[in-house]
Amino acid sequence: MAFFAIALALLLEQVRPLAANHPAAMGLKRWLRQVGRNVDAGGVHHGWLAWIIAVGVPMLAAAAAYWLLDWVGGWPLALIWSVAVLYVTLGFRKFSHHFTGIRDALDAGDEERARVLLARWQQVDASSVPRSEIVRHVIEYSVLAAHRYVFGVLVWFCIGAVLGLGPAGAVFYRNAESAAHYWRRKSQAPDHPTSPALRAVADAAWHVIDWLPARATALGFAIVGSFEDAIDAWRHHAMRFANRNDGVILAATAGAIGVRLGGASLRPLAPDPGGPPMKEAAAPGDGDGLPGDAAHTRHFTQVVGLVWRTVALWLLVLILLTLAHVVG
């Protein structure tokens, strides 16, 4: 049933994509804000309690709904619920329109518009970024978004399905990523900022949760790209990035399509107009770039092909597993 749920959700998302501010996303944001304000008291144990409530309660609710629907109506209702949950937790359209807009601007020679779109997408200062660096940053942000909105969700969805939790794994992954992102930015807010303890807890939990999905994504990119180069870059250059999970994905991407990724990060904009800029780097990491050709717009086509071939690989693996289960 996992294959059919994933295939139907991807098809539905392509036909009728959700807006960025759809009710489920806004509800999650309000939920994280309320949990943070009511539970976060500055201590590490308060941070863990807030994280468990914020991430664990929706996951358990999704699992309970799956069990109830399966008990009441059997697998058809359970399948519909799985498709609905996947529909709001994964999807290319959550980032692909940014990618397409910047690519089209660069193809038209309008680098200024490309900088504006990049700055609007990632909330960074891109006012003086040269063309090749625009391309590099777009590739980096896009493959990481593909991982977090597609492949990472699929890994944890499958884990939850194997454990009999239905789509709860997808909810768990999406909420863990959203909590880390929301509380990281909220820690810079002037009103009710997130405590350092809660931010550290959310970041640490997210790193552990994303460890396996990041390597699964990197392995998929290696299989459908230049395998030897991707594995070599993964082994020798992933540690150059500040976030090792992101580094694994970016290094494998660089090797798979032969593009030079990594380098100076873009500086995030201030959370409030007129305020001081945030201190954290918005890009995956600083330092020297990886070996490979300088980023060029032709690499956009290669990235799109890499991502879609990896999706096809995922679906093929799920088909084979489903057939093996049926035959067995």
Side-chain angles (χ1 to χ4, degrees):
M1 188 169 68
F3 165 76
F4 296 105
I6 292 170
L8 289 172
L10 287 174
L11 178 62
L12 181 61
E13 196 269 339
Q14 290 295 311
V15 173
R16 195 173 184 83
L18 288 171
N21 59 344
H22 60 86
M26 299 307 296
L28 174 59
K29 186 175 181 179
R30 289 192 296 270
W31 170 249
L32 293 173
R33 180 171 61 246
Q34 290 300 319
V35 171
R37 288 184 177 181
N38 294 326
V39 183
D40 181 21
V44 175
H45 59 290
H46 296 112
W48 279 112
L49 179 60
W51 186 89
I52 291 171
I53 293 174
V55 177
V57 170
M59 180 195 72
L60 293 176
Y66 174 81
W67 295 330
L68 177 62
L69 291 171
D70 187 47
W71 177 68
V72 172
W75 68 265
L77 288 182
L79 176 62
I80 292 173
W81 175 243
S82 296
V83 172
V85 171
L86 282 172
Y87 179 52
V88 299
T89 55
L90 62 72
F92 289 99
R93 295 302 183 91
K94 293 180 174 66
F95 64 91
S96 62
H97 62 286
H98 298 289
F99 175 91
T100 302
I102 297 172
R103 181 195 61 190
D104 292 345
L106 290 174
D107 287 343
D110 192 350
E111 295 181 12
E112 187 57 35
R113 174 162 176 77
R115 293 187 185 96
V116 170
L117 293 175
L118 176 60
R120 186 182 303 165
W121 177 19
Q122 292 293 328
Q123 295 298 299
V124 293
D125 180 9
S127 57
S128 60
V129 181
R131 180 185 179 91
S132 63
E133 286 295 279
I134 296 174
V135 175
R136 175 177 72 85
H137 285 296
V138 171
I139 292 174
E140 291 179 350
Y141 290 131
S142 297
V143 295
L144 291 178
H147 164 67
R148 289 169 185 162
Y149 283 104
V150 181
F151 304 118
V153 175
L154 294 182
V155 169
W156 271 99
F157 172 78
C158 292
I159 291 174
V162 169
L163 296 175
L165 301 176
V171 175
F172 177 68
Y173 182 85
R174 170 58 48 237
N175 284 11
E177 190 274 335
S178 298
H181 177 77
Y182 176 79
W183 284 328
R184 189 182 307 122
R185 292 193 63 84
K186 188 65 176 175
S187 66
Q188 301 289 328
D191 60 321
H192 303 288
T194 299
S195 71
L198 177 54
R199 174 179 172 173
V201 164
D203 285 341
W206 168 242
H207 182 79
V208 173
I209 291 166
D210 197 40
W211 189 92
L212 178 61
R215 282 143 186 85
T217 298
L219 181 60
F221 287 172
I223 292 173
V224 302
S226 177
F227 184 83
E228 185 176 349
D229 292 336
I231 295 300
D232 182 72
W234 176 352
R235 291 178 57 192
H236 295 101
H237 302 294
M239 69 290 297
R240 293 189 181 188
F241 296 88
N243 185 311
R244 286 295 295 273
N245 291 339
D246 290 352
V248 166
I249 298 168
L250 294 174
T253 302
I257 62 175
V259 63
R260 185 187 308 147
L261 300 180
S265 299
L266 297 179
R267 191 171 183 82
L269 298 173
D272 295 316
M278 294 172 63
K279 298 179 181 179
E280 289 77 8
D286 289 308
D288 297 332
L290 277 62
D293 297 334
H296 192 274
T297 51
R298 69 175 182 274
H299 289 116
F300 285 156
T301 302
Q302 293 178 274
V303 168
V304 172
L306 188 74
V307 170
W308 276 110
R309 289 195 302 272
T310 306
V311 171
L313 175 65
W314 261 98
L315 294 176
L316 177 61
V317 170
L318 286 172
I319 289 174
L320 294 175
L321 292 175
T322 302
L323 291 175
H325 177 73
V326 172
V327 172

